[in-house]
Amino acid sequence: MNQEPMRAETDVLVIGSGAAGMYAAIEAARSGCQVLLADRSLIGRGGATVMAQMTVAAALGSETADHWSYHYSDTLAAGRGLCNEPLAQLLCEEGPECIRTMDDWGVGWARKDGRITQAMAPGHDRPRCVYVDFLNTGPAVSKTLRTAVNKSGGIRKAGDLCVADLLRNNGDIVGAAALHLGSGAPAILSAKATILATGGLTRLYRRNSASANMGGDGYALALRAGASLVDMEFVQFFPIGHLAPRLIGMDPIMWDPFRYKLGGRLLNNRMEEFTQRYGVAEDGKYVITRDLGSYAILKEVEAGRGSPHGGVYLSFLHCPESALRESFGPVIDRLAANGIDLTKMPIEVAPIAHYHMGGIVADAQMQTGLPGLFAAGEAVGGANGANRLSGNAITEALVFGRRAGRSAADYVKRLRTSPDHADNAHTAIALIGADAPTRNFNTAEMLQTLQKTMQDNVGALRSEAKIIAALDSIGRLIDELGDTPPGDGNRFDMRRIDWFDLRNMLLVARVVAEAALARTETRGAQQREDYPRLSPDWVCNQTARLKDACIELSGGPRALTETTS
Amino acid sequence: MLKIWRGLDANEGRWETHEVPFEAGQSVLDGLRWIRANRDPTLAIRFSCINANACKECMVELDGKTVYACTARLQPREMTLTPLSNKKRLRDLVTEIAPPTERFTDS
């Protein structure tokens, strides 16, 4: 097509409009900056935030006395020794303030007798998790922030922008180049500071709980621009994602709130409770952490004691209908519309890719290693170590978003001269607007192949043989993808959009697989069947960089750090 | 059987019919995603949350009535899908649904 690029200039470019991106935009605008808030799709509708059904952890002390340091201890314990402590501290220390600000903005946290209700969740030492009824935490958080964005002056919103590459000027990041889906034209977004708030990478997996736009694009953008990633092997699987019967119009992680409120029983196909075999007896309460829960379910299935669709049963048969109604009101009717009556049948659940602990290396100011580039929310790596404590994701989005917005604004104010050009703008525009070669391959099918490979081989249970098989498959897909995008280059060209998604997803999948292969131990979300134990040598964080198209890992145990590929 | 309107604008469109595997309980969006992966990746649809009815992006017209593709159920009959008739068409089933203040424009 070779269309003329569209252009925009701003002080702060925020990429991604989930909770982290929207909060960053609000904070940067409050500090006096012009902000461009860009998203792959509609503003404040996609991403992970809108899907979060409950809960948000913060030491408010509203239910019982609490202090951020207790939340911090629980976060470090859940992270199995690998948390980045300054980041974890920031999350826990500033969480309560952000939760109260959201309350002031009218989010509507559930209350009892005027006090904000805090639920007990696995891994926490006391009730600490706030929520919005019924199953409405994420949508309420998104809506509240959308309203706050609309009230802030100085924020320009721009949807349907698929960012292809960050723009560099001598190593400084000076904005981004994007494919504008609404026209098919390339867009140059020049910015003094750029914040990546693109969320995680759950789309790499066949069974996942997040939006279709969570393909790890921020990680790939950062890596290609020269930044480092950390802890990329740690993908959190949520143990009880809905499996069967077919349920539409509801998020697959919806059973979590049911378990918070009502306990519920996990059963194998003999209708026996089984988590005690793996070290955690539940006794009608919800206590098992996410890494252990996923492990126990997959092992039970492997032993031939799984449910018909390959998971286990979750049963609320022991709960009276009145208790179900009181806790979930209209949700019970939505279940009935799907033919599900919890008083008569258990449902089937199985682990589902849910969150990524790893991400872009950033300090407690959300500054990455590259001047002008900041990160926020799930895109940031390290705060949650090898396993995230339930309830920390939205807290992290709010706290890190706010901090990134402030830091980016400070950076803009300190900047002496405005960047006047980008070294790689021409290359980026040429790729986005490339004349379509007449190659005929099915990008949507390639996406499914990648998702199946990652689910089966770099999922919740891993081994050297499986990971190597995944790397082979990823390599073949990379070859098939080639160097230029297909399609006619006109608006909403799905194959071209898939191509840019795959370019990012395949790079990130490679990093996850290589980091998982190198870590020869089992810790948190990294469960290696060939190395089933925690290793004292591996109390360290692996970082990854891109060097001459190869992934360079470092930070592993000294004797093993020669691994490059 | 899904009968789908294809094209960049109302004047130069065409109809296309695809048979998709039917499994009770599946959504129309499941059918559209199946077509992309197994028949024709160029079919343009808009969605983010896939299944949760949270993003509200997958609105289309089914037999002339506005629905969310993720909550409308597949039925074993011919179902006709068209883009929203009150919105600007972008391609196939995708329309410009963003409010004017949230669209990217040249500055």
Side-chain angles (χ1 to χ4, degrees), chain A residues 6-8 41 156 159-160 211-212 246 249-250 338 442 488 491-492 498, chain B residues 8 30 36-37 41 44 46 48 51-52 57 73 90-91 102 105-107:
Chain A
M6 301 167 79
R7 288 178 192 276
S41 195
R156 195 175 142 198
D160 281 347
S211 297
R246 185 81 179 103
M250 296 187 80
N338 278 281
N442 187 333
D488 57 24
R491 58 186 183 256
F492 249 91
D498 284 344
Chain B
L8 285 165
D30 290 337
R36 288 206 68 233
R46 185 199 281 276
S48 279
N51 193 46
E57 294 186 6
R73 284 179 201 275
L90 291 180
R91 184 193 291 252
E102 298 186 0
T105 47
D106 241 334
S107 54

PDB file of all heavy atoms in Angstrom, chain A residues 6-8 41 156 159-160 211-212 246 249-250 338 442 488 491-492 498, chain B residues 8 30 36-37 41 44 46 48 51-52 57 73 90-91 102 105-107:
ATOM      1  N   MET A   6       0.597   8.280   9.298  1.00  0.00           N
ATOM      2  CA  MET A   6      -0.093   9.260  10.132  1.00  0.00           C
ATOM      3  C   MET A   6       0.887   9.636  11.243  1.00  0.00           C
ATOM      4  O   MET A   6       1.771   8.854  11.570  1.00  0.00           O
ATOM      5  CB  MET A   6      -1.358   8.632  10.736  1.00  0.00           C
ATOM      6  CG  MET A   6      -2.335   8.133   9.690  1.00  0.00           C
ATOM      7  SD  MET A   6      -3.632   7.071  10.396  1.00  0.00           S
ATOM      8  CE  MET A   6      -4.740   8.294  11.101  1.00  0.00           C
ATOM      9  N   ARG A   7       0.720  10.821  11.819  1.00  0.00           N
ATOM     10  CA  ARG A   7       1.677  11.242  12.838  1.00  0.00           C
ATOM     11  C   ARG A   7       0.978  11.846  14.053  1.00  0.00           C
ATOM     12  O   ARG A   7      -0.061  12.491  13.915  1.00  0.00           O
ATOM     13  CB  ARG A   7       2.654  12.275  12.272  1.00  0.00           C
ATOM     14  CG  ARG A   7       3.639  11.684  11.306  1.00  0.00           C
ATOM     15  CD  ARG A   7       4.585  12.709  10.707  1.00  0.00           C
ATOM     16  NE  ARG A   7       5.298  12.102   9.592  1.00  0.00           N
ATOM     17  CZ  ARG A   7       6.394  11.357   9.725  1.00  0.00           C
ATOM     18  NH1 ARG A   7       6.921  11.145  10.922  1.00  0.00           N
ATOM     19  NH2 ARG A   7       6.975  10.827   8.659  1.00  0.00           N
ATOM     20  N   ALA A   8       1.570  11.628  15.218  1.00  0.00           N
ATOM     21  CA  ALA A   8       1.098  12.289  16.438  1.00  0.00           C
ATOM     22  C   ALA A   8       2.304  12.566  17.310  1.00  0.00           C
ATOM     23  O   ALA A   8       3.283  11.815  17.289  1.00  0.00           O
ATOM     24  CB  ALA A   8       0.104  11.412  17.168  1.00  0.00           C
ATOM     25  N   SER A  41      -7.195  -2.115  20.819  1.00  0.00           N
ATOM     26  CA  SER A  41      -8.609  -2.172  20.477  1.00  0.00           C
ATOM     27  C   SER A  41      -9.301  -0.938  21.050  1.00  0.00           C
ATOM     28  O   SER A  41      -8.781   0.157  20.902  1.00  0.00           O
ATOM     29  CB  SER A  41      -9.193  -3.480  21.009  1.00  0.00           C
ATOM     30  OG  SER A  41     -10.441  -3.691  20.404  1.00  0.00           O
ATOM     31  N   ARG A 156      -5.234  12.336  25.361  1.00  0.00           N
ATOM     32  CA  ARG A 156      -5.821  12.059  24.062  1.00  0.00           C
ATOM     33  C   ARG A 156      -5.901  10.551  23.915  1.00  0.00           C
ATOM     34  O   ARG A 156      -4.929   9.860  24.191  1.00  0.00           O
ATOM     35  CB  ARG A 156      -4.886  12.648  23.008  1.00  0.00           C
ATOM     36  CG  ARG A 156      -5.489  12.769  21.658  1.00  0.00           C
ATOM     37  CD  ARG A 156      -4.476  13.480  20.762  1.00  0.00           C
ATOM     38  NE  ARG A 156      -4.553  12.857  19.451  1.00  0.00           N
ATOM     39  CZ  ARG A 156      -3.623  12.962  18.533  1.00  0.00           C
ATOM     40  NH1 ARG A 156      -2.511  13.635  18.788  1.00  0.00           N
ATOM     41  NH2 ARG A 156      -3.783  12.386  17.366  1.00  0.00           N
ATOM     42  N   GLY A 159      -7.603   4.486  19.941  1.00  0.00           N
ATOM     43  CA  GLY A 159      -7.786   3.038  19.859  1.00  0.00           C
ATOM     44  C   GLY A 159      -7.347   2.493  18.510  1.00  0.00           C
ATOM     45  O   GLY A 159      -6.922   3.238  17.624  1.00  0.00           O
ATOM     46  N   ASP A 160      -7.448   1.175  18.365  1.00  0.00           N
ATOM     47  CA  ASP A 160      -7.130   0.484  17.112  1.00  0.00           C
ATOM     48  C   ASP A 160      -5.707   0.756  16.615  1.00  0.00           C
ATOM     49  O   ASP A 160      -5.465   0.849  15.413  1.00  0.00           O
ATOM     50  CB  ASP A 160      -8.148   0.841  16.014  1.00  0.00           C
ATOM     51  CG  ASP A 160      -9.452   0.042  16.180  1.00  0.00           C
ATOM     52  OD1 ASP A 160      -9.462  -0.928  16.959  1.00  0.00           O
ATOM     53  OD2 ASP A 160     -10.448   0.384  15.523  1.00  0.00           O
ATOM     54  N   SER A 211      -7.786 -11.569  27.755  1.00  0.00           N
ATOM     55  CA  SER A 211      -8.275 -11.105  26.475  1.00  0.00           C
ATOM     56  C   SER A 211      -7.351 -11.528  25.342  1.00  0.00           C
ATOM     57  O   SER A 211      -6.186 -11.858  25.560  1.00  0.00           O
ATOM     58  CB  SER A 211      -8.364  -9.588  26.504  1.00  0.00           C
ATOM     59  OG  SER A 211      -9.298  -9.190  27.464  1.00  0.00           O
ATOM     60  N   ALA A 212      -7.896 -11.468  24.135  1.00  0.00           N
ATOM     61  CA  ALA A 212      -7.151 -11.881  22.951  1.00  0.00           C
ATOM     62  C   ALA A 212      -5.943 -10.990  22.691  1.00  0.00           C
ATOM     63  O   ALA A 212      -5.058 -11.348  21.924  1.00  0.00           O
ATOM     64  CB  ALA A 212      -8.072 -11.861  21.743  1.00  0.00           C
ATOM     65  N   ARG A 246     -20.008 -26.571  28.597  1.00  0.00           N
ATOM     66  CA  ARG A 246     -19.772 -25.343  27.853  1.00  0.00           C
ATOM     67  C   ARG A 246     -20.542 -24.185  28.499  1.00  0.00           C
ATOM     68  O   ARG A 246     -21.746 -24.292  28.751  1.00  0.00           O
ATOM     69  CB  ARG A 246     -20.239 -25.542  26.406  1.00  0.00           C
ATOM     70  CG  ARG A 246     -19.939 -24.378  25.503  1.00  0.00           C
ATOM     71  CD  ARG A 246     -18.512 -24.391  25.010  1.00  0.00           C
ATOM     72  NE  ARG A 246     -18.262 -23.253  24.125  1.00  0.00           N
ATOM     73  CZ  ARG A 246     -17.597 -22.172  24.498  1.00  0.00           C
ATOM     74  NH1 ARG A 246     -17.059 -22.099  25.683  1.00  0.00           N
ATOM     75  NH2 ARG A 246     -17.432 -21.181  23.650  1.00  0.00           N
ATOM     76  N   GLY A 249     -20.498 -16.412  27.842  1.00  0.00           N
ATOM     77  CA  GLY A 249     -20.859 -15.129  28.431  1.00  0.00           C
ATOM     78  C   GLY A 249     -20.300 -14.954  29.829  1.00  0.00           C
ATOM     79  O   GLY A 249     -20.652 -14.021  30.541  1.00  0.00           O
ATOM     80  N   MET A 250     -19.405 -15.849  30.242  1.00  0.00           N
ATOM     81  CA  MET A 250     -18.786 -15.719  31.559  1.00  0.00           C
ATOM     82  C   MET A 250     -17.309 -16.041  31.458  1.00  0.00           C
ATOM     83  O   MET A 250     -16.886 -16.827  30.623  1.00  0.00           O
ATOM     84  CB  MET A 250     -19.476 -16.647  32.552  1.00  0.00           C
ATOM     85  CG  MET A 250     -20.925 -16.241  32.745  1.00  0.00           C
ATOM     86  SD  MET A 250     -21.744 -17.163  34.025  1.00  0.00           S
ATOM     87  CE  MET A 250     -21.159 -16.319  35.450  1.00  0.00           C
ATOM     88  N   ASN A 338     -27.135 -21.464  31.137  1.00  0.00           N
ATOM     89  CA  ASN A 338     -26.156 -22.364  30.519  1.00  0.00           C
ATOM     90  C   ASN A 338     -26.396 -23.825  30.922  1.00  0.00           C
ATOM     91  O   ASN A 338     -25.565 -24.690  30.672  1.00  0.00           O
ATOM     92  CB  ASN A 338     -24.740 -21.963  30.930  1.00  0.00           C
ATOM     93  CG  ASN A 338     -24.191 -20.805  30.094  1.00  0.00           C
ATOM     94  OD1 ASN A 338     -23.759 -20.991  28.972  1.00  0.00           O
ATOM     95  ND2 ASN A 338     -24.240 -19.601  30.633  1.00  0.00           N
ATOM     96  N   ASN A 442      -1.944 -19.574   6.604  1.00  0.00           N
ATOM     97  CA  ASN A 442      -3.049 -19.277   7.501  1.00  0.00           C
ATOM     98  C   ASN A 442      -2.518 -18.832   8.864  1.00  0.00           C
ATOM     99  O   ASN A 442      -2.148 -19.635   9.713  1.00  0.00           O
ATOM    100  CB  ASN A 442      -3.966 -20.495   7.642  1.00  0.00           C
ATOM    101  CG  ASN A 442      -5.216 -20.145   8.439  1.00  0.00           C
ATOM    102  OD1 ASN A 442      -5.204 -19.241   9.267  1.00  0.00           O
ATOM    103  ND2 ASN A 442      -6.297 -20.866   8.178  1.00  0.00           N
ATOM    104  N   ASP A 488      -3.524  -7.291   2.212  1.00  0.00           N
ATOM    105  CA  ASP A 488      -3.666  -6.225   1.216  1.00  0.00           C
ATOM    106  C   ASP A 488      -3.304  -4.865   1.792  1.00  0.00           C
ATOM    107  O   ASP A 488      -3.278  -3.867   1.080  1.00  0.00           O
ATOM    108  CB  ASP A 488      -5.091  -6.221   0.637  1.00  0.00           C
ATOM    109  CG  ASP A 488      -6.167  -6.067   1.715  1.00  0.00           C
ATOM    110  OD1 ASP A 488      -5.853  -5.519   2.791  1.00  0.00           O
ATOM    111  OD2 ASP A 488      -7.309  -6.493   1.488  1.00  0.00           O
ATOM    112  N   ARG A 491      -7.655  -1.451   5.546  1.00  0.00           N
ATOM    113  CA  ARG A 491      -8.061  -1.418   6.957  1.00  0.00           C
ATOM    114  C   ARG A 491      -8.498  -2.793   7.480  1.00  0.00           C
ATOM    115  O   ARG A 491      -9.010  -3.614   6.747  1.00  0.00           O
ATOM    116  CB  ARG A 491      -9.156  -0.384   7.170  1.00  0.00           C
ATOM    117  CG  ARG A 491     -10.396  -0.608   6.337  1.00  0.00           C
ATOM    118  CD  ARG A 491     -11.352   0.563   6.532  1.00  0.00           C
ATOM    119  NE  ARG A 491     -12.577   0.312   5.795  1.00  0.00           N
ATOM    120  CZ  ARG A 491     -12.873   0.914   4.652  1.00  0.00           C
ATOM    121  NH1 ARG A 491     -12.032   1.784   4.118  1.00  0.00           N
ATOM    122  NH2 ARG A 491     -14.013   0.645   4.045  1.00  0.00           N
ATOM    123  N   PHE A 492      -8.274  -2.980   8.763  1.00  0.00           N
ATOM    124  CA  PHE A 492      -8.603  -4.227   9.460  1.00  0.00           C
ATOM    125  C   PHE A 492      -8.211  -5.463   8.676  1.00  0.00           C
ATOM    126  O   PHE A 492      -9.002  -6.377   8.472  1.00  0.00           O
ATOM    127  CB  PHE A 492     -10.083  -4.273   9.865  1.00  0.00           C
ATOM    128  CG  PHE A 492     -10.233  -4.169  11.353  1.00  0.00           C
ATOM    129  CD1 PHE A 492     -10.377  -2.928  11.951  1.00  0.00           C
ATOM    130  CD2 PHE A 492     -10.163  -5.295  12.151  1.00  0.00           C
ATOM    131  CE1 PHE A 492     -10.465  -2.815  13.332  1.00  0.00           C
ATOM    132  CE2 PHE A 492     -10.250  -5.196  13.535  1.00  0.00           C
ATOM    133  CZ  PHE A 492     -10.399  -3.953  14.120  1.00  0.00           C
ATOM    134  N   ASP A 498      -2.535 -10.439  12.508  1.00  0.00           N
ATOM    135  CA  ASP A 498      -2.025 -11.716  13.045  1.00  0.00           C
ATOM    136  C   ASP A 498      -0.508 -11.801  12.890  1.00  0.00           C
ATOM    137  O   ASP A 498       0.186 -12.304  13.767  1.00  0.00           O
ATOM    138  CB  ASP A 498      -2.614 -12.915  12.278  1.00  0.00           C
ATOM    139  CG  ASP A 498      -4.059 -13.212  12.657  1.00  0.00           C
ATOM    140  OD1 ASP A 498      -4.527 -12.715  13.689  1.00  0.00           O
ATOM    141  OD2 ASP A 498      -4.706 -13.963  11.900  1.00  0.00           O
TER     142      ASP A 498
ATOM    143  N   LEU B   8     -15.307  -4.346   2.172  1.00  0.00           N
ATOM    144  CA  LEU B   8     -14.798  -3.152   2.835  1.00  0.00           C
ATOM    145  C   LEU B   8     -15.874  -2.092   3.035  1.00  0.00           C
ATOM    146  O   LEU B   8     -15.827  -1.330   3.987  1.00  0.00           O
ATOM    147  CB  LEU B   8     -13.632  -2.551   2.035  1.00  0.00           C
ATOM    148  CG  LEU B   8     -12.296  -3.300   2.147  1.00  0.00           C
ATOM    149  CD1 LEU B   8     -11.339  -2.853   1.056  1.00  0.00           C
ATOM    150  CD2 LEU B   8     -11.663  -3.100   3.514  1.00  0.00           C
ATOM    151  N   ASP B  30     -17.486 -18.483  18.595  1.00  0.00           N
ATOM    152  CA  ASP B  30     -16.726 -19.738  18.439  1.00  0.00           C
ATOM    153  C   ASP B  30     -16.713 -20.148  16.965  1.00  0.00           C
ATOM    154  O   ASP B  30     -15.686 -20.564  16.426  1.00  0.00           O
ATOM    155  CB  ASP B  30     -17.358 -20.883  19.250  1.00  0.00           C
ATOM    156  CG  ASP B  30     -17.202 -20.704  20.753  1.00  0.00           C
ATOM    157  OD1 ASP B  30     -16.284 -19.978  21.172  1.00  0.00           O
ATOM    158  OD2 ASP B  30     -18.005 -21.304  21.502  1.00  0.00           O
ATOM    159  N   ARG B  36     -11.919 -18.686  10.831  1.00  0.00           N
ATOM    160  CA  ARG B  36     -10.611 -18.037  10.633  1.00  0.00           C
ATOM    161  C   ARG B  36      -9.476 -19.052  10.700  1.00  0.00           C
ATOM    162  O   ARG B  36      -8.573 -19.034   9.879  1.00  0.00           O
ATOM    163  CB  ARG B  36     -10.368 -16.946  11.692  1.00  0.00           C
ATOM    164  CG  ARG B  36     -11.215 -15.696  11.514  1.00  0.00           C
ATOM    165  CD  ARG B  36     -10.524 -14.481  12.132  1.00  0.00           C
ATOM    166  NE  ARG B  36      -9.341 -14.160  11.374  1.00  0.00           N
ATOM    167  CZ  ARG B  36      -8.115 -14.011  11.882  1.00  0.00           C
ATOM    168  NH1 ARG B  36      -7.919 -14.129  13.177  1.00  0.00           N
ATOM    169  NH2 ARG B  36      -7.099 -13.722  11.106  1.00  0.00           N
ATOM    170  N   ALA B  37      -9.505 -19.947  11.673  1.00  0.00           N
ATOM    171  CA  ALA B  37      -8.384 -20.878  11.859  1.00  0.00           C
ATOM    172  C   ALA B  37      -8.410 -22.020  10.848  1.00  0.00           C
ATOM    173  O   ALA B  37      -7.364 -22.560  10.492  1.00  0.00           O
ATOM    174  CB  ALA B  37      -8.395 -21.431  13.275  1.00  0.00           C
ATOM    175  N   PRO B  41      -8.475 -17.132   7.054  1.00  0.00           N
ATOM    176  CA  PRO B  41      -7.963 -16.205   8.075  1.00  0.00           C
ATOM    177  C   PRO B  41      -8.227 -14.743   7.748  1.00  0.00           C
ATOM    178  O   PRO B  41      -8.004 -13.877   8.591  1.00  0.00           O
ATOM    179  CB  PRO B  41      -6.456 -16.489   8.086  1.00  0.00           C
ATOM    180  CG  PRO B  41      -6.149 -17.018   6.727  1.00  0.00           C
ATOM    181  CD  PRO B  41      -7.385 -17.770   6.290  1.00  0.00           C
ATOM    182  N   ALA B  44     -12.689 -10.751   8.816  1.00  0.00           N
ATOM    183  CA  ALA B  44     -12.434  -9.747   9.854  1.00  0.00           C
ATOM    184  C   ALA B  44     -13.548  -9.730  10.894  1.00  0.00           C
ATOM    185  O   ALA B  44     -14.727  -9.590  10.567  1.00  0.00           O
ATOM    186  CB  ALA B  44     -12.278  -8.364   9.220  1.00  0.00           C
ATOM    187  N   ARG B  46     -14.116  -8.451  15.294  1.00  0.00           N
ATOM    188  CA  ARG B  46     -13.512  -7.685  16.382  1.00  0.00           C
ATOM    189  C   ARG B  46     -13.951  -8.301  17.709  1.00  0.00           C
ATOM    190  O   ARG B  46     -15.141  -8.506  17.928  1.00  0.00           O
ATOM    191  CB  ARG B  46     -13.995  -6.230  16.321  1.00  0.00           C
ATOM    192  CG  ARG B  46     -13.339  -5.314  17.340  1.00  0.00           C
ATOM    193  CD  ARG B  46     -14.155  -4.045  17.557  1.00  0.00           C
ATOM    194  NE  ARG B  46     -14.000  -3.005  16.531  1.00  0.00           N
ATOM    195  CZ  ARG B  46     -13.022  -2.107  16.523  1.00  0.00           C
ATOM    196  NH1 ARG B  46     -12.104  -2.109  17.449  1.00  0.00           N
ATOM    197  NH2 ARG B  46     -12.979  -1.188  15.573  1.00  0.00           N
ATOM    198  N   SER B  48     -12.226  -8.876  22.060  1.00  0.00           N
ATOM    199  CA  SER B  48     -11.064  -8.936  22.951  1.00  0.00           C
ATOM    200  C   SER B  48     -11.185 -10.088  23.933  1.00  0.00           C
ATOM    201  O   SER B  48     -10.299 -10.903  24.073  1.00  0.00           O
ATOM    202  CB  SER B  48     -10.892  -7.633  23.733  1.00  0.00           C
ATOM    203  OG  SER B  48     -10.256  -6.669  22.940  1.00  0.00           O
ATOM    204  N   ASN B  51     -14.898 -14.713  25.518  1.00  0.00           N
ATOM    205  CA  ASN B  51     -15.982 -15.548  26.026  1.00  0.00           C
ATOM    206  C   ASN B  51     -16.742 -14.917  27.189  1.00  0.00           C
ATOM    207  O   ASN B  51     -17.753 -15.437  27.612  1.00  0.00           O
ATOM    208  CB  ASN B  51     -15.352 -16.875  26.499  1.00  0.00           C
ATOM    209  CG  ASN B  51     -16.378 -17.948  26.744  1.00  0.00           C
ATOM    210  OD1 ASN B  51     -17.264 -18.158  25.927  1.00  0.00           O
ATOM    211  ND2 ASN B  51     -16.279 -18.603  27.881  1.00  0.00           N
ATOM    212  N   ALA B  52     -16.238 -13.837  27.721  1.00  0.00           N
ATOM    213  CA  ALA B  52     -16.740 -13.388  29.018  1.00  0.00           C
ATOM    214  C   ALA B  52     -17.825 -12.320  28.935  1.00  0.00           C
ATOM    215  O   ALA B  52     -18.410 -11.952  29.938  1.00  0.00           O
ATOM    216  CB  ALA B  52     -15.588 -12.875  29.871  1.00  0.00           C
ATOM    217  N   GLU B  57     -17.091  -5.829  22.598  1.00  0.00           N
ATOM    218  CA  GLU B  57     -16.584  -5.414  21.293  1.00  0.00           C
ATOM    219  C   GLU B  57     -17.151  -6.227  20.133  1.00  0.00           C
ATOM    220  O   GLU B  57     -16.982  -5.861  18.978  1.00  0.00           O
ATOM    221  CB  GLU B  57     -15.048  -5.533  21.264  1.00  0.00           C
ATOM    222  CG  GLU B  57     -14.370  -4.559  22.204  1.00  0.00           C
ATOM    223  CD  GLU B  57     -12.855  -4.567  22.063  1.00  0.00           C
ATOM    224  OE1 GLU B  57     -12.339  -5.247  21.166  1.00  0.00           O
ATOM    225  OE2 GLU B  57     -12.210  -3.882  22.864  1.00  0.00           O
ATOM    226  N   ARG B  73     -25.956 -18.007  20.703  1.00  0.00           N
ATOM    227  CA  ARG B  73     -25.562 -19.402  20.523  1.00  0.00           C
ATOM    228  C   ARG B  73     -25.674 -19.849  19.073  1.00  0.00           C
ATOM    229  O   ARG B  73     -26.586 -19.437  18.351  1.00  0.00           O
ATOM    230  CB  ARG B  73     -26.433 -20.306  21.387  1.00  0.00           C
ATOM    231  CG  ARG B  73     -26.022 -20.252  22.839  1.00  0.00           C
ATOM    232  CD  ARG B  73     -26.912 -21.125  23.688  1.00  0.00           C
ATOM    233  NE  ARG B  73     -26.858 -20.700  25.075  1.00  0.00           N
ATOM    234  CZ  ARG B  73     -25.923 -21.099  25.940  1.00  0.00           C
ATOM    235  NH1 ARG B  73     -25.000 -21.942  25.570  1.00  0.00           N
ATOM    236  NH2 ARG B  73     -25.921 -20.655  27.172  1.00  0.00           N
ATOM    237  N   LEU B  90     -15.880  -1.107   8.517  1.00  0.00           N
ATOM    238  CA  LEU B  90     -14.433  -1.108   8.292  1.00  0.00           C
ATOM    239  C   LEU B  90     -14.059  -2.266   7.369  1.00  0.00           C
ATOM    240  O   LEU B  90     -13.406  -2.081   6.362  1.00  0.00           O
ATOM    241  CB  LEU B  90     -13.676  -1.212   9.625  1.00  0.00           C
ATOM    242  CG  LEU B  90     -13.776   0.034  10.514  1.00  0.00           C
ATOM    243  CD1 LEU B  90     -13.011  -0.157  11.815  1.00  0.00           C
ATOM    244  CD2 LEU B  90     -13.250   1.284   9.795  1.00  0.00           C
ATOM    245  N   ARG B  91     -14.467  -3.473   7.735  1.00  0.00           N
ATOM    246  CA  ARG B  91     -14.277  -4.623   6.862  1.00  0.00           C
ATOM    247  C   ARG B  91     -15.110  -5.783   7.410  1.00  0.00           C
ATOM    248  O   ARG B  91     -15.142  -6.014   8.617  1.00  0.00           O
ATOM    249  CB  ARG B  91     -12.794  -5.041   6.832  1.00  0.00           C
ATOM    250  CG  ARG B  91     -12.499  -6.183   5.866  1.00  0.00           C
ATOM    251  CD  ARG B  91     -11.114  -6.769   6.088  1.00  0.00           C
ATOM    252  NE  ARG B  91     -10.032  -5.867   5.718  1.00  0.00           N
ATOM    253  CZ  ARG B  91      -9.243  -6.013   4.656  1.00  0.00           C
ATOM    254  NH1 ARG B  91      -9.410  -7.034   3.856  1.00  0.00           N
ATOM    255  NH2 ARG B  91      -8.278  -5.158   4.425  1.00  0.00           N
ATOM    256  N   GLU B 102     -12.271   8.695  20.855  1.00  0.00           N
ATOM    257  CA  GLU B 102     -11.303   7.639  21.144  1.00  0.00           C
ATOM    258  C   GLU B 102     -10.683   7.071  19.873  1.00  0.00           C
ATOM    259  O   GLU B 102     -10.077   6.019  19.885  1.00  0.00           O
ATOM    260  CB  GLU B 102     -11.980   6.532  21.970  1.00  0.00           C
ATOM    261  CG  GLU B 102     -12.467   7.076  23.294  1.00  0.00           C
ATOM    262  CD  GLU B 102     -13.026   6.024  24.245  1.00  0.00           C
ATOM    263  OE1 GLU B 102     -13.035   4.842  23.886  1.00  0.00           O
ATOM    264  OE2 GLU B 102     -13.454   6.430  25.350  1.00  0.00           O
ATOM    265  N   THR B 105      -6.498  10.056  15.063  1.00  0.00           N
ATOM    266  CA  THR B 105      -6.513  10.882  13.860  1.00  0.00           C
ATOM    267  C   THR B 105      -5.162  11.560  13.725  1.00  0.00           C
ATOM    268  O   THR B 105      -4.454  11.744  14.711  1.00  0.00           O
ATOM    269  CB  THR B 105      -7.594  11.980  13.947  1.00  0.00           C
ATOM    270  OG1 THR B 105      -7.481  12.599  15.230  1.00  0.00           O
ATOM    271  CG2 THR B 105      -8.978  11.398  13.775  1.00  0.00           C
ATOM    272  N   ASP B 106      -4.825  11.922  12.519  1.00  0.00           N
ATOM    273  CA  ASP B 106      -3.591  12.652  12.254  1.00  0.00           C
ATOM    274  C   ASP B 106      -3.594  13.964  13.030  1.00  0.00           C
ATOM    275  O   ASP B 106      -4.629  14.605  13.143  1.00  0.00           O
ATOM    276  CB  ASP B 106      -3.552  13.001  10.755  1.00  0.00           C
ATOM    277  CG  ASP B 106      -2.365  12.361  10.085  1.00  0.00           C
ATOM    278  OD1 ASP B 106      -1.374  12.102  10.778  1.00  0.00           O
ATOM    279  OD2 ASP B 106      -2.447  12.112   8.868  1.00  0.00           O
ATOM    280  N   SER B 107      -2.452  14.331  13.592  1.00  0.00           N
ATOM    281  CA  SER B 107      -2.439  15.638  14.262  1.00  0.00           C
ATOM    282  C   SER B 107      -1.584  16.617  13.487  1.00  0.00           C
ATOM    283  O   SER B 107      -0.838  16.239  12.624  1.00  0.00           O
ATOM    284  CB  SER B 107      -1.896  15.494  15.676  1.00  0.00           C
ATOM    285  OG  SER B 107      -0.649  14.859  15.674  1.00  0.00           O
TER     286      SER B 107
END
